[in-house]
Amino acid sequence: MSELGPIFRALLRNKVGAFLLALQIALTMTIMVNAIHMIENRSSMMARPSGLDEANQFYLSSNGYAENFNERAVVEEDLRNIRALPGIVDVTQINAIPLSGGGWSMGLQTETGEDKPSVGVAVYFVDDHGIDAFGVNLIAGENFSPTEITYRQRNEQGWPQNIIVTEAMAKELFPDLTPAQVIGKTTYIGGDEPMTITGVIDQLQAPWVGWSGVERVMLVPQRTEFRSSRYFIRTEPGQRDRMMKEVEEMLVAEDRGRLIRNVRTMEETRDDSYRSYSALQTILWIIVIILTIITALGIVGMVTFSVNRRRKQIGTRRALGASRFDIMKHFMLENFLVTSVGLLLGVGSSIALNIWLVDAFSLPRIGWYYIPVAMVILWLVGQAAVFGPARKASQISPALATRTA
Amino acid sequence: MLRMQNIRKIFKTEMVETHALRDFNLEVEEGDFVAVTGPSGSGKTTFLNVAGLLETFDGGDYLLDGQSVKGMNDTQLARLRNEKIGFIFQSFNLLPDLNLFDNVDVPLRYRGFKAAERKRRIEEALEVVGLASRMKHLPAQLSGGQQQRVAIARALAGRPRFLLADEPTGNLDSQMATSVLDLMQEINNQGTTIIMVTHDPMLAKRASRNIFVRDGQVSEVGKEDDIVELLHKTAQVG
Amino acid sequence: MFSYYVRLALLSLRKNILLTGLMIAAIGLGIGAAMTTITVNYMMSSDPIPQKSERLFHVQLDNWSPNQPYNEPNEPPDQVTWLDATNLLQEGRAFRQAAMGGTSFVIEPSQAEQKPFIASGRATSADFFPMFDVPFIYGRGWTANDDNSQNLVVVLSKATNDQLFGGENSVGETIVMGGRAFQVVGVIDDWQPRPKFYDVSTGPFNEVEEVFVPWSLKEPLELPLNGNNNCWKPVGEETFSAFLRSECVNSQFWVEFEDPQDADNYLAFLNNYVTEQKKLGRFERPLNNRLMDVMDWMEYREVVAEDAIMMMYMAIMFLVVCLLNTVALLLAKFLGRSGEIALRRAVGASRRDLFLQYTVESAMIGIAGGLLGLVLAWFGLQGIGGLYGDMTEGLNELDLTMVGFAIVLAIVSTILAGLYPTWRACSVAPAGQLKSQ
């Protein structure tokens, strides 16, 4: 290590080249840290559980078009028929699909009055089979009873008495209460219409994956008569694909003046909703990897040049008693120094870029450990890159020293 | 001090084999100041490289300070060069990015001396060549003669048993050449063995012993021989 | 002389083929990445109707809750109520104006073998078609008279006409939509403004609707809403008519002026209108109406996805790294040739000669890198299309402007990258380097 002094002083005499390399390494680190941070950020968003039994669920939409379409009769018969199929765990009619991107939201508040703060919440109209079809767990209170399920008309404004909410929603409304304590509490919808929380489920995601309140959901015990609705179906493990076909065939078989469309699995829906996330991740990975390779190759090129230019100097050092290992060490140390300067710059610029990203794109801050990890990686990359040319340098004959040219 | 017995050195290319040294025999005593002359292509430089352990040889034996260097690996050779031999090159071979202090420091670093020891020796060596005051200068800021003095200081700093000089004045004007040579003479007087390769007969005359290399072989040159004439003759033959 | 420089450059580039390859690859990758992301951004932010985007204005009225703005700090809603759209349409104060909103229909084809299907629709008024320069293959849009008389007329998209009528001229034919017979008055040619500026509420790059019907039919036919609906106040009565007359925003209103200057007058009219409405107990917030032309509106609605912007910044930084890499390598390369430079100087090359020689060499790397970058950008865009699927349809195509931009970017950036190394090379003294090393 004591050789650092002269190497450093020599580098200072070759400022521009060394500085360019350092700058390149600084930028590489900046991009690496922030890109991997973005990748991680998206990963953690994608990893949030939806609360559903996604592998065994699918849904379809049913749109009535015929003048004589009797929605109530059709839906009730459909649900009965589907439920009767072996391989089906449960089914519910629903207005919107979790993670799908389209749905309803309302505001709930704990005090009446239009000027009081309200908490946004996703609304799922389901019947007493909703909890089973979702595969979510009731952690307090009770499920809806079959008798309290009512039918909701297209322009209906009122709301039923009871609702079930997710734990996250309960916490948002009543931060100090446990789920059990929330049971029986009244909340107000549309400013002043009271509703009672009769159940709390552990977890269920809203239709909008990019929404900050994605965990806030309420279940409303109603079936809809909007002429267009969806059935959300849960099957026995491994039966999903078979049941999708069977259910669709069964529903299409009878002409009841409605269209069956959009038969899709939850897994497809998840993939679609997070497609832009995973696409961004892939792109950023490609950028980081190619960038690292370019930087490594750049170091190889620079050191090769430097070795070629200094052949005679290397020969002289060898003549003066440097072993092959000494020569290798020289180049490795030189690279270590340049890389270190670059990485020190990189720490600053990584943090600066992150601050900007936090500001402009409301990304979270980077974890402190990104910095040392990136530094170690780039040190290793630098040393690996310099190894080849340094080895070549160490093969230079000491006899070169006596050559005049 | 230095003994070469039947040293052979062959350069092979795809087309030809060149015998750079053949049955080369030479013995140098402690304290000698040997000048090696010879026409270009005679094998002078090869001899110098072999003597300085810069190149290996293909046959024969070479004893340096009573120790055979045959079969030594690269690291051992480097160590030996570092400890026993000081080099002075025609084009000085100072490292342009290092100041004088760091230049002289180079062999000492490889020797693994402690910082204080190195500093003492560097200052001393630069003192001897009269450049102690310019330690922080870069080689490019010095004249050719001064640069060669730095090179000598670098060679001396390790206190080698002998100095190998390759046309030490080849890139210098005559006045500078004289002063460099005076310096070498002084070093020799203090007991360091010097082998100097040169094509300049006037220079060779200042040595205590002259040898002449021709076609990779040695012949001792007596006091009465005229080197100029020898060079002439070989030139005509060649 | 120029061809001599080119020859020298080729010679020099060939001599260090690996290094040349590395520099070209670095530039190519940098340009490729930058171009891929810039193209996506460029497509996203392109002007969907350049010939008149400065004369088309989107209307915003602030009918929101007196207690809180629609969006902080004090932004009016992105859409207007059905009531206001209808009122403004009736007033007809602009050169042209169109009220509109998304809807959908179940279409029952007359042929028995074709199954009923759902088509996306748009209820709008007659000016929509001339305002937005909608191209027709058959017939034309309906008239103001059709609007006023609530006639059951429809304009089909090309794809829908292909599906229903095999691409034949269907003007005058009838189709059954939502159980009612509509008469076809026109068929639109391929038309897909990107972004779909007239309604970005459900996604700025969605497909244009499949059927268009008169705005005035929305109420009598109770056309369902296909789009976003936002309310701050309970609707009250449970009828469709009450819903339409509520403070829920779910419609768009666009105006066209002959001269962009007319916007001031129109805004004054809007303020007047709102002041009148205040007397009816509506519009409880202070006057906060907005008129934005197409591009301002696109910027306001941030149609360029944040991810696309982030990716572009990352890719541009990536390009900078690649350029730094090239500067460093060129510097090393040119300085390694100081002997040759000194010789050329000694035999009479002027600084300018050398400058040209080395600039030509950098430019050649730039050209090669630019071409490689274009190829990579093409692959990159295909890759983006593959990764994002339908979402990026039409956004991942290289057009001529972008191709030209890529080449120029590559050459200019490489010449810039070569500038410092070239300058350093040219300042080598003629004599200095000839002696020794």
Side-chain angles (χ1 to χ4, degrees):
Chain A
M1 281 295 157
S2 62
E3 275 140 87
L4 283 174
I7 293 179
F8 189 69
R9 287 197 288 278
L11 274 176
L12 282 183
R13 228 142 276 133
N14 205 340
K15 289 197 250 333
V16 180
F19 182 69
L20 285 171
L21 196 58
L23 210 58
Q24 189 182 340
I25 287 163
L27 268 177
T28 303
M29 173 172 168
T30 308
I31 298 178
M32 185 186 256
V33 164
N34 284 284
I36 292 181
H37 171 55
M38 281 187 216
I39 292 169
E40 277 301 309
N41 177 247
R42 295 297 161 108
S43 283
S44 64
M45 286 171 87
M46 288 164 79
R48 295 173 306 195
S50 64
L52 299 168
D53 178 18
E54 287 174 39
N56 302 308
Q57 287 166 329
F58 70 98
Y59 59 91
L60 50 84
S61 62
S62 161
N63 294 76
Y65 62 89
E67 203 65 51
N68 60 354
F69 177 62
N70 182 346
E71 185 165 19
R72 202 177 290 203
V74 169
V75 167
E76 279 178 10
E77 193 181 336
D78 282 347
L79 294 178
R80 232 185 354 259
N81 289 342
I82 294 170
R83 211 167 283 137
L85 291 173
I88 296 289
V89 173
D90 215 338
V91 56
T92 182
Q93 190 212 35
I94 195 170
N95 61 313
I97 303 298
L99 314 186
S100 69
W104 278 38
S105 77
M106 290 298 297
L108 292 187
Q109 53 202 67
T110 50
E111 292 169 86
T112 53
E114 275 168 18
D115 52 339
K116 292 294 186 303
S118 70
V119 178
V121 62
V123 182
Y124 293 130
F125 296 105
V126 293
D127 56 27
D128 50 312
H129 295 275
I131 286 181
D132 253 6
F134 285 138
V136 296
N137 301 311
L138 196 66
I139 54 172
E142 287 171 4
N143 189 5
F144 301 129
S145 74
T147 51
E148 70 178 303
I149 308 298
T150 54
Y151 277 85
R152 185 180 187 87
Q153 304 307 312
R154 179 124 65 114
N155 298 307
E156 191 170 323
Q157 300 301 320
W159 294 86
Q161 180 60 44
N162 298 334
I163 53 167
I164 292 174
V165 296
T166 55
E167 191 179 359
M169 184 61 196
K171 266 260 151 351
E172 195 71 31
L173 286 170
F174 304 101
D176 305 324
L177 301 187
T178 65
Q181 290 169 323
V182 168
I183 302 302
K185 289 279 173 198
T186 302
T187 66
Y188 300 91
I189 191 163
D192 52 9
E193 188 171 351
M195 295 199 293
T196 309
I197 298 175
T198 56
V200 176
I201 51 174
D202 54 352
Q203 192 155 38
L204 182 60
Q205 285 190 329
W208 313 282
V209 296
W211 181 39
S212 57
V214 66
E215 309 284 335
R216 302 207 295 264
V217 167
M218 75 167 173
L219 305 183
V220 178
Q222 286 191 311
R223 289 202 185 122
T224 57
E225 276 187 291
F226 299 173
R227 291 178 80 84
S228 120
S229 68
R230 295 183 177 81
Y231 300 154
F232 190 86
I233 302 159
R234 180 170 171 220
T235 68
E236 302 284 358
Q239 303 293 305
R240 185 193 65 198
D241 295 351
R242 188 173 64 83
M243 295 320 294
M244 275 173 85
K245 235 182 273 157
E246 255 179 60
V247 168
E248 186 177 5
E249 277 165 13
M250 182 180 81
L251 296 180
V252 168
E254 249 176 303
D255 179 13
R256 316 200 56 156
R258 55 98 181 273
L259 294 179
I260 298 297
R261 300 187 310 151
N262 261 335
V263 188
R264 294 172 62 82
T265 66
M266 269 319 290
E267 281 175 344
E268 285 172 309
T269 304
R270 165 175 282 273
D271 286 350
D272 274 0
S273 290
Y274 284 115
R275 173 159 293 165
S276 67
Y277 285 37
S278 56
L280 182 74
Q281 287 182 319
T282 310
I283 291 166
L284 290 175
W285 269 127
I286 292 174
I287 287 187
V288 167
I289 290 168
I290 295 184
L291 183 67
T292 311
I293 294 175
I294 293 252
T295 301
L297 287 179
I299 293 173
V300 173
M302 289 288 286
V303 178
T304 304
F305 259 125
S306 162
V307 167
N308 284 343
R309 208 155 42 100
R310 289 193 277 181
R311 286 180 72 80
K312 184 149 183 184
Q313 291 182 39
I314 295 163
T316 304
R317 280 184 183 274
R318 292 277 282 131
L320 296 177
S323 66
R324 291 200 171 126
F325 178 71
D326 288 327
I327 298 296
M328 280 200 69
K329 203 167 76 178
H330 180 95
F331 282 97
M332 310 277 285
L333 272 179
E334 196 175 85
N335 174 269
F336 179 81
L337 266 179
V338 175
T339 308
S340 300
V341 171
L343 291 179
L344 284 182
L345 287 174
V347 172
S349 56
S350 300
I351 293 173
L353 179 64
N354 182 242
I355 288 174
W356 181 76
L357 286 172
V358 170
D359 216 46
F361 299 102
S362 48
L363 223 66
R365 287 229 192 99
I366 42 172
W368 63 270
Y369 53 89
Y370 278 86
I371 301 281
V373 168
M375 287 175 91
V376 168
I377 290 174
L378 285 171
W379 260 317
L380 291 178
V381 166
Q383 293 293 296
V386 89
F387 186 81
R391 234 180 93 80
K392 259 205 172 135
S394 75
Q395 305 297 322
I396 287 172
S397 161
L400 211 67
T402 57
R403 252 172 245 159
T404 333
Chain B
M1 169 74 225
L2 175 157
R3 201 159 96 204
M4 287 183 171
Q5 290 173 321
N6 301 325
I7 293 285
R8 260 186 306 123
K9 176 76 186 174
I10 305 168
F11 291 108
K12 281 182 200 151
T13 64
E14 280 170 36
M15 313 283 289
V16 286
E17 269 191 12
T18 315
H19 290 256
L21 297 176
R22 53 177 115 197
D23 296 328
F24 192 99
N25 289 294
L26 182 69
E27 203 157 331
V28 176
E29 299 298 328
E30 181 123 34
D32 271 358
F33 187 165
V34 183
V36 181
T37 49
S40 46
S42 62
K44 295 195 300 273
T45 304
T46 308
F47 156 71
L48 182 88
N49 286 346
V50 170
L53 308 177
L54 300 179
E55 269 177 34
T56 53
F57 45 92
D58 301 306
D61 200 2
Y62 172 21
L63 290 109
L64 181 66
D65 226 2
Q67 190 181 4
S68 171
V69 302
K70 202 157 88 174
M72 279 189 176
N73 69 22
D74 187 85
T75 311
Q76 290 169 314
L77 290 173
R79 185 98 207 130
L80 217 53
R81 281 199 295 272
N82 185 269
E83 284 172 5
K84 304 223 158 147
I85 308 171
F87 283 97
I88 303 169
F89 304 98
Q90 175 174 1
S91 43
F92 327 136
N93 290 16
L94 296 179
L95 303 177
D97 292 331
L98 300 183
N99 63 27
L100 304 195
F101 185 95
D102 285 339
N103 256 291
V104 177
D105 191 26
V106 170
L108 305 182
R109 289 267 181 183
Y110 295 129
R111 185 84 68 95
F113 284 139
K114 290 259 180 311
E117 170 77 0
R118 294 202 316 265
K119 185 164 185 291
R120 197 174 55 74
R121 286 189 180 221
I122 296 164
E123 281 166 359
E124 207 177 279
L126 282 170
E127 194 70 53
V128 168
V129 300
L131 286 167
S133 61
R134 315 188 67 169
M135 264 183 316
K136 299 285 173 202
H137 285 62
L138 287 178
Q141 294 166 304
L142 303 181
S143 73
Q146 288 170 323
Q147 291 192 37
Q148 193 60 301
R149 283 162 175 277
V150 177
I152 292 172
R154 181 173 67 185
L156 288 178
R159 310 231 171 95
R161 298 291 302 281
F162 74 106
L163 267 183
L164 274 177
D166 178 19
E167 304 275 13
T169 59
N171 282 348
L172 301 178
D173 63 31
S174 63
Q175 198 189 344
M176 285 183 179
T178 313
S179 83
V180 164
L181 217 59
D182 288 344
L183 185 58
M184 287 173 66
Q185 193 103 58
E186 206 182 303
I187 292 162
N188 179 241
N189 290 343
Q190 280 162 17
T192 309
T193 312
I194 298 181
I195 299 178
M196 173 174 74
V197 170
T198 179
H199 68 279
D200 185 347
M202 303 316 288
L203 226 57
K205 277 196 171 155
R206 296 194 53 168
S208 61
R209 199 179 144 198
N210 267 283
I211 64 166
F212 189 80
V213 182
R214 182 183 353 187
D215 295 335
Q217 286 186 308
V218 191
S219 50
E220 191 82 22
V221 180
K223 281 278 170 218
E224 63 282 7
D225 289 319
D226 190 344
I227 301 168
V228 181
E229 208 167 283
L230 274 171
L231 279 167
H232 256 291
K233 261 196 268 174
T234 47
Q236 278 159 0
V237 173
Chain C
M1 207 57 193
F2 185 75
S3 63
Y4 176 64
Y5 295 141
V6 171
R7 217 172 64 231
L8 283 179
L10 281 177
L11 211 65
S12 145
L13 293 175
R14 252 213 313 268
K15 203 178 119 197
N16 263 310
I17 193 82
L18 274 179
L19 193 86
T20 307
L22 174 60
M23 287 191 282
I24 292 176
I27 298 276
L29 284 166
I31 294 284
M35 285 315 301
T36 305
T37 54
I38 290 174
T39 301
V40 172
N41 277 268
Y42 163 80
M43 289 305 217
M44 280 184 166
S45 58
S46 63
D47 187 341
I49 180 161
Q51 67 276 17
K52 60 201 300 187
S53 61
E54 286 176 357
R55 294 191 289 118
L56 292 172
F57 285 79
H58 178 267
V59 172
Q60 279 175 284
L61 303 174
D62 197 346
N63 67 325
W64 215 244
S65 155
N67 298 315
Q68 63 191 50
Y70 179 80
N71 267 331
E72 295 293 342
N74 183 28
E75 298 302 317
D78 299 328
Q79 304 185 95
V80 295
T81 62
W82 174 88
L83 182 64
D84 291 319
T86 306
N87 287 344
L88 292 178
L89 187 66
Q90 227 121 51
E91 291 278 346
R93 294 300 181 91
F95 172 59
R96 284 181 181 134
Q97 47 254 304
M100 64 190 84
T103 182
S104 65
F105 291 94
V106 172
I107 299 181
E108 296 167 66
S110 48
Q111 290 96 331
E113 70 272 20
Q114 279 194 31
K115 280 193 190 164
F117 63 94
I118 291 191
S120 60
R122 176 151 299 261
T124 183
S125 49
D127 280 352
F128 179 92
F129 305 99
M131 243 172 109
F132 297 146
D133 289 349
V134 179
F136 278 84
I137 4 179
Y138 303 124
R140 60 186 69 82
W142 58 83
T143 62
N145 185 43
D146 290 319
D147 275 328
N148 294 334
S149 323
Q150 302 184 340
N151 289 339
L152 294 178
V153 291
V154 62
V155 165
L156 303 180
S157 72
K158 185 164 184 282
T160 312
N161 188 55
D162 287 350
Q163 186 177 352
L164 290 172
F165 298 102
E168 298 289 313
N169 186 346
S170 58
V171 172
E173 305 275 347
T174 54
I175 61 171
V176 178
M177 304 201 306
R180 287 186 178 76
F182 281 72
Q183 188 177 28
V184 178
V185 294
V187 177
I188 293 176
D189 203 352
D190 285 324
W191 183 58
Q192 179 63 61
R194 288 187 200 284
K196 197 183 105 186
F197 63 97
Y198 59 81
D199 181 7
V200 293
S201 57
T202 54
F205 301 101
N206 284 1
E207 300 281 311
V208 162
E209 292 77 6
E210 296 164 299
V211 296
F212 295 81
V213 299
W215 175 250
S216 54
L217 295 178
K218 186 163 170 86
E219 183 168 19
L221 301 192
E222 301 202 359
L223 297 180
L225 173 71
N226 192 4
N228 284 347
N229 178 46
N230 282 293
C231 311
W232 60 272
K233 177 176 183 174
V235 173
E237 233 181 301
E238 296 187 351
T239 62
F240 191 71
S241 162
F243 168 69
L244 290 182
R245 284 166 181 76
S246 72
E247 293 299 335
C248 298
V249 293
N250 45 43
S251 308
Q252 301 88 44
F253 196 79
W254 283 86
V255 289
E256 177 185 347
F257 305 125
E258 283 178 294
D259 182 343
Q261 306 290 321
D262 297 342
D264 291 342
N265 290 332
Y266 196 80
L267 188 61
F269 155 71
L270 286 178
N271 290 340
N272 226 341
Y273 166 76
V274 168
T275 312
E276 285 300 309
Q277 291 287 316
K278 279 174 184 282
K279 293 180 187 157
L280 303 173
R282 300 184 60 216
F283 290 97
E284 294 166 70
R285 298 180 66 75
L287 278 185
N288 185 22
N289 306 316
R290 309 258 174 102
L291 263 184
M292 286 190 216
D293 70 12
V294 174
M295 292 315 281
D296 286 346
W297 179 239
M298 294 298 95
E299 198 183 316
Y300 179 80
R301 290 305 307 273
E302 295 174 344
V303 299
V304 182
E306 280 195 347
D307 277 8
I309 303 174
M310 276 198 296
M311 256 182 323
M312 183 173 74
Y313 287 131
M314 284 296 182
I316 288 175
M317 280 174 64
F318 176 77
L319 173 63
V320 170
V321 173
C322 293
L323 287 176
L324 278 175
N325 194 52
T326 307
V327 180
L329 289 174
L330 279 177
L331 183 66
K333 178 169 187 176
F334 288 176
L335 286 186
R337 285 201 307 222
S338 40
E340 182 204 317
I341 297 165
L343 183 79
R344 286 189 182 278
R345 296 274 281 133
V347 299
S350 67
R351 280 223 166 90
R352 200 179 147 269
D353 291 325
L354 285 167
F355 186 83
L356 277 175
Q357 182 190 330
Y358 287 105
T359 303
V360 166
E361 190 169 330
S362 324
M364 287 178 74
I365 292 174
I367 292 171
L371 291 176
L372 177 66
L374 269 185
V375 174
L376 292 176
W378 187 84
F379 279 111
L381 288 169
Q382 299 310 304
I384 287 206
L387 286 174
Y388 283 93
D390 298 341
M391 270 185 267
T392 51
E393 204 177 315
L395 297 175
N396 60 340
E397 288 154 17
L398 272 178
D399 65 3
L400 264 180
T401 324
M402 283 287 113
V403 170
F405 178 67
I407 299 271
V408 170
L409 180 66
I411 295 176
V412 169
S413 51
T414 320
I415 288 183
L416 281 180
L419 219 52
Y420 177 75
T422 302
W423 174 76
R424 281 284 297 268
C426 292
S427 46
V428 167
Q433 296 288 323
L434 285 180
K435 261 197 338 187
S436 80
Q437 186 229 10

